[in-house]
Amino acid sequence: MSARLDRIRGGAHASVRHDSAVGHVTGRSLYVDDMPNVPGTLEAALLLSPHAHARIRSIDVSAAMAAPGVAAVIVARDIPGRNDIAPIRTDEPLLPPELVEYEGQPVAAVAAQTLDQARAAAKLVKIDYEPLPPVLTIEEAIERDLYVSPPQLMTRGDIEAGFKSAVHRIAGEVHCGGQDHFYLEGQIALAIPGDGGDFQIFSSTQHPTEVQHGVAHLLGLPFNAVTVEVRRMGGAFGGKESQATIIAGVAAVLAWKTKRPVKLRLPRDDDMRATGKRHPFLIRYDCGVDADSRIVALDLVLAANGGNVADHTPAVITRALCHADNCYWLPNVRFRGLPCKTNTVSNTAFRGYGGPQGMIAIETVVDVIARKLGKTPDEIRRQNYYGVERNNVAPYGMTVEDNIVERMLDELDRVAGLAAWRESVAAFNRTSPIIRKGLATMPVKFGISFNRPALNQAGALVHVYTDGSVTLNHGGTEMGQGLFVKVAQVVAEAFQIDIDHIRLSATTTGKVPNTSPTAASSGSDLNGMAALNAANQIKDRMAEVAAEHFDVPKSEIVFASNRVFAGNRSVSFPELAAMSWEKRVSLSATGFYKTPKLHWDFATNTGRPFYYFAYGIAASEVAIDTLTGETRVLRAELLQDCGASINPAIDLGQIEGAFVQGMGWLTSEELWWDDKGRLRTHGPSTYKIPGSRDVPPIFNARILDDAPNREDTIFRSKAVGEPPLMLAISVWLAIRDAVASLADYKVAPDLDAPATPERVLKAVDAIRG
């Protein structure tokens, strides 16, 4: 083999552009709604409940059925199978048979020749309701012991002994609000009945298998009679994990009833009213601190608004409990998770999945301790960080083996000059009574893996054709995050061929069955390893053919630079593919991967729920107007641990996007229900996501250099989808810092999230007395 070989294009660790980048900016990328309609396709619309809590006395669909173009109207009694689409527990109906439990709940659906006809007819369905008193707040649910699943408990040490040893005792509460996913592509599904009683579902979903199972249950079919396919989504963020089953389920039941294809797409207002969101939390804390500023006891209540049914709430609660330590050694803890039932939409998966709320809890505690003791939050953090050889076990029993948070803080300090930066903020405040600045850092330790061990598995299917081209399929879904191009890079690296030779095919349950959701930041870890497993099987077979061809041991065969070498002799990859076929060697393989080391006891909330941790740290500077409560983020410095990044360009995009999305959650994205339980912020005119002008004018995101994953992940990379979102907590903490500056940093502000102008102004007025 020659001494110098050209590097393949698009292998591992290269900054390759997103596979659909050109299609996205030119409009050529096809989404479900762009697919040409199958002849005879009907359009569907939903009728949503106007009440937060009511009994259904009667439903009359006769006027709707008589409307022009209408082919079918369905209510709960029309579902032929089991009316249950629960992702974790049971008894979560697609359409309510007797009781509506939130305003915006789908009650009926209409299929008609056109979308306008379907929407007009839906308004003609007559429902007689008996309104019932709704429960709308977490506090009322706690008072009445209303929960969507059993409360959870995580303990470690002796909390009462910890409190007795404490010099300081600090207690309080904080609220953090929910967040709408606000994906650009709304919820949509197309259901096509087959000629043998089977169904093809095109769904904008993160979890094709869950949609498959949900539709099969509703129609009374075996899973193999339902095939779900998705090529791409226009954003998801967790909102198309369980929620997509509602849309696909309605379309499928209508298709079953009419024996025609049915498409259901939700307009933005209906989408926001009918589908779940990030969980709002009420956090109550009681903390003991010793003379060295170390937390010696922490009693936390993490109460989540689960909405009307369990949905993902039990798992979100578990995840919140597992992140309420963040980066800190807490010897004596009692963490209680309360999954509160209210008459609002069932809240669901959202980027971070409980982790952000758990971290808000402990970072509030750190901030309050610092103000009470006259220290900075960073000083309190330094006293409480996990150790490396000792004080390194999380409250749930997992040893933190890869702790690099202090290294990352030192690196951020090196590039951003934190001391000088803080002095510049303090100097500004000394001469500015109206506009005040704040600065805060935020460390992050985020666990990677599903808490449920069974979900940590993936499959892949790889075909090599005789011209050397490759088709790749796996169980992960593409929602803009770059999963497809990353997994293609893995296969390119395995075969040592240019990524241009690899075609990515749509995710479908017909090719890779029993898939896990593309969630928990684990898409590349799981599907990348499964694809590598499949590619290596084929590569091993091809190596045997090459060894026979060159009459050398298989160990001397090397794949490199689009060729296959035996010493100085070589053939091209396509030539070897053709030879393999001639030798009747299979050029197709299914790959499989399961994450090692994981175990979890749901009864005790102990075990090893994560394969590893992804770390990050951020510093943000804000300005607040003390007369109006308005805020601006002036500068953000981010440092994220990506291990040995498979694609630095994609990862940087994820870091920046996650931070801005988190910033929106904590500053401007306020969900507001009136006293009748009606969501009033259900469109872009009333619900404020960050815009281009909200991005900090100084915004630097960096990937930590020379930090390969210590665990044997795909090419030693780390997950990046969720962890950077929590770096945005630095913005909320910086706003608190700016308010605290009005009292010489000695008083902790009473400030919930999101820090809207109204809340900031209220906090300012309280500080000033």
Side-chain angles (χ1 to χ4, degrees):
M1 188 169 66
S2 62
R4 182 183 180 280
L5 293 172
D6 293 331
R7 173 78 176 142
I8 61 168
R9 294 193 305 275
H13 313 303
S15 287
V16 182
R17 74 184 182 190
H18 193 288
D19 57 284
S20 297
V22 174
H24 287 162
V25 298
T26 60
R28 291 201 298 266
S29 293
L30 295 180
Y31 297 85
V32 174
D33 211 18
D34 299 318
M35 295 170 56
N37 274 350
V38 176
T41 297
L42 299 168
E43 301 280 356
L46 298 178
L47 176 67
L48 307 182
S49 166
H51 300 285
H53 194 198
R55 184 169 287 107
I56 299 172
R57 290 192 179 115
S58 64
I59 301 178
D60 182 358
V61 303
S62 57
M65 278 300 301
V70 171
V73 180
I74 61 167
V75 294
R77 62 177 176 265
D78 296 302
I79 295 170
R82 190 166 81 242
N83 186 12
D84 191 353
I85 55 170
I88 296 176
R89 295 176 68 82
T90 58
D91 196 24
E92 298 180 23
L94 176 73
L95 300 173
E98 298 174 349
L99 199 68
V100 295
E101 292 195 293
Y102 70 94
E103 188 273 338
Q105 183 172 4
V107 181
V110 176
Q113 300 294 335
T114 70
L115 183 58
D116 287 344
Q117 289 173 336
R119 290 177 177 173
K123 297 176 182 177
L124 300 177
V125 176
K126 297 176 182 178
I127 303 180
D128 181 20
Y129 293 102
E130 177 191 348
L132 302 170
V135 174
L136 300 176
T137 67
I138 294 174
E139 290 86 348
E140 186 178 357
I142 293 173
E143 184 179 342
R144 296 175 57 179
D145 283 331
L146 296 175
Y147 301 115
V148 296
S149 61
Q152 298 181 34
L153 179 67
M154 180 182 290
T155 62
R156 196 253 296 274
D158 186 338
I159 193 166
E160 297 306 329
F163 278 127
K164 287 179 182 178
S165 71
V167 176
H168 308 282
R169 188 83 175 256
I170 296 165
E173 70 176 39
V174 65
H175 291 77
C176 58
Q179 185 179 22
D180 190 82
H181 303 86
F182 219 92
Y183 23 66
L184 291 181
E185 177 205 28
Q187 298 277 1
I188 186 169
L190 170 63
I192 304 173
D195 59 4
D198 58 326
F199 281 79
Q200 174 82 29
I201 311 291
F202 294 92
S203 172
S204 184
T205 178
Q206 295 171 246
H207 198 349
T209 292
E210 185 172 312
V211 170
Q212 178 194 43
H213 292 180
V215 169
H217 290 152
L218 292 166
L219 299 182
L221 296 173
F223 295 158
N224 67 0
V226 180
T227 301
V228 179
E229 181 173 321
V230 53
R231 173 55 183 90
R232 62 174 60 85
M233 291 163 275
F237 312 115
K240 295 177 179 178
E241 196 168 337
S242 65
Q243 304 299 286
T245 306
I246 302 170
I247 315 307
V250 169
V253 173
L254 284 167
W256 167 82
K257 189 165 187 177
T258 61
K259 297 180 173 53
R260 293 170 63 179
V262 174
K263 180 191 287 186
L264 173 60
R265 65 170 82 79
L266 297 192
R268 179 68 61 183
D269 291 273
D270 287 0
D271 197 315
M272 293 186 71
R273 290 172 61 206
T275 64
K277 311 174 192 319
R278 187 188 297 281
H279 289 72
F281 268 60
L282 165 62
I283 299 158
R284 291 175 175 158
Y285 57 88
D286 188 0
C287 180
V289 183
D290 70 12
D292 295 320
S293 305
R294 292 191 176 93
I295 299 170
V296 293
L298 181 58
D299 190 355
L300 273 181
V301 174
L302 301 176
N305 186 340
N308 70 305
V309 294
D311 200 310
H312 278 251
T313 299
V316 167
I317 287 279
T318 304
R319 196 88 174 180
L321 297 178
C322 287
H323 286 86
D325 61 327
N326 195 13
C327 299
Y328 312 114
W329 160 250
L330 305 172
N332 304 295
V333 302
R334 180 168 57 216
F335 294 167
R336 288 171 286 179
L338 304 181
C340 300
K341 177 180 173 67
T342 65
N343 293 116
T344 57
V345 63
S346 67
N347 289 306
T348 191
F350 199 125
R351 197 177 199 170
Y353 205 84
Q357 296 95 322
M359 290 187 194
I360 281 273
I362 186 61
E363 293 304 327
T364 300
V365 170
V366 167
D367 190 62
V368 173
I369 292 171
R371 307 304 175 196
K372 182 178 178 69
L373 302 187
K375 299 187 176 186
T376 67
D378 285 336
E379 289 176 306
I380 303 301
R381 291 189 181 108
R382 287 279 194 186
Q383 287 295 93
N384 288 279
Y385 278 140
Y386 275 113
V388 176
E389 300 297 332
R390 58 187 297 272
N391 295 344
N392 61 349
V393 179
Y396 42 88
M398 177 177 171
T399 300
V400 180
E401 300 171 327
D402 55 0
N403 185 0
I404 58 172
V405 69
E406 293 199 68
R407 173 194 166 186
M408 298 195 72
L409 178 57
D410 292 341
E411 177 65 15
L412 181 67
D413 191 14
R414 185 186 68 80
V415 298
L418 294 176
W421 190 358
R422 174 157 289 285
E423 175 52 35
S424 72
V425 169
F428 177 90
N429 286 340
R430 285 193 288 268
T431 61
S432 179
I434 305 301
I435 305 299
R436 305 291 286 196
K437 288 185 176 182
L439 172 64
T441 60
M442 175 64 195
V444 168
K445 173 183 67 68
F446 189 80
I448 303 299
S449 294
F450 292 97
N451 273 74
R452 182 183 177 191
L455 292 175
N456 296 282
Q457 59 177 298
L461 179 62
V462 175
H463 302 313
V464 175
Y465 296 91
T466 53
D467 64 351
S469 61
V470 176
T471 292
L472 165 64
N473 190 274
H474 55 80
T477 58
E478 176 61 52
M479 60 198 87
Q481 84 279 37
L483 173 64
F484 272 31
V485 70
K486 279 188 171 183
V487 180
Q489 286 177 263
V490 169
V491 174
E493 187 73 20
F495 287 132
Q496 281 295 295
I497 60 175
D498 294 339
I499 197 170
D500 305 344
H501 300 309
I502 299 170
R503 187 178 72 84
L504 305 160
S505 57
T507 307
T508 170
T509 57
K511 290 184 178 179
V512 177
N514 309 318
T515 58
S516 295
T518 304
S521 301
S522 61
S524 296
D525 284 1
L526 294 174
N527 296 286
M529 284 297 244
L532 180 64
N533 176 257
N536 280 342
Q537 292 178 53
I538 300 170
K539 182 179 176 181
D540 187 67
R541 297 174 204 150
M542 294 177 72
E544 290 181 356
V545 174
E548 181 182 349
H549 174 75
F550 290 117
D551 194 21
V552 297
K554 188 171 71 170
S555 60
E556 294 183 17
I557 299 299
V558 176
F559 288 68
S561 299
N562 296 289
R563 299 189 69 81
V564 183
F565 291 86
N568 288 324
R569 296 175 293 166
S570 70
V571 294
S572 69
F573 186 81
E575 287 173 327
L576 182 58
M579 285 183 200
S580 300
W581 180 80
E582 289 286 351
K583 295 288 185 179
R584 294 184 292 179
V585 170
S586 172
L587 294 173
S588 178
T590 56
F592 181 76
Y593 175 74
K594 62 178 181 180
T595 310
K597 301 185 178 182
L598 303 178
H599 57 93
W600 185 251
D601 185 331
F602 287 96
T604 62
N605 275 324
T606 57
R608 177 170 179 158
F610 309 124
Y611 191 24
Y612 62 88
F613 296 100
Y615 295 86
I617 191 158
S620 295
E621 177 185 347
V622 306
I624 69 170
D625 186 330
T626 61
L627 299 181
T628 66
E630 293 175 277
T631 63
R632 291 287 184 274
V633 185
L634 305 177
R635 179 183 175 189
E637 301 285 342
L638 318 181
L639 181 63
Q640 183 64 41
D641 162 34
C642 297
S645 172
I646 291 177
N647 188 322
I650 293 291
D651 286 354
L652 281 170
Q654 286 290 290
I655 295 166
E656 293 167 351
F659 180 86
V660 173
Q661 188 173 53
M663 192 176 76
W665 169 51
L666 294 166
T667 59
S668 64
E669 296 185 43
E670 184 177 28
L671 293 162
W672 188 80
W673 282 264
D674 65 18
D675 59 1
K676 296 186 184 302
R678 295 174 296 191
L679 180 64
R680 294 303 197 181
T681 50
H682 51 74
S685 63
T686 52
Y687 184 78
K688 176 66 171 66
I689 65 171
S692 58
R693 294 183 181 181
D694 296 307
V695 175
I698 302 174
F699 189 25
N700 297 310
R702 301 174 179 88
I703 293 174
L704 182 67
D705 291 330
D706 192 26
N709 198 334
R710 299 181 192 184
E711 296 293 350
D712 188 18
T713 55
I714 187 69
F715 299 134
R716 300 288 174 172
S717 63
K718 283 191 176 184
V720 72
E722 293 172 296
L725 184 136
M726 282 139 286
L727 297 178
I729 295 174
S730 63
V731 171
W732 183 69
L733 294 172
I735 295 171
R736 291 175 62 93
D737 187 67
V739 176
S741 74
L742 295 167
D744 200 23
Y745 303 102
K746 294 178 180 178
V747 178
D750 182 8
L751 181 65
D752 293 331
T756 59
E758 295 87 349
R759 289 197 176 103
V760 172
L761 192 57
K762 183 179 177 181
V764 166
D765 289 346
I767 287 280
R768 284 179 165 165

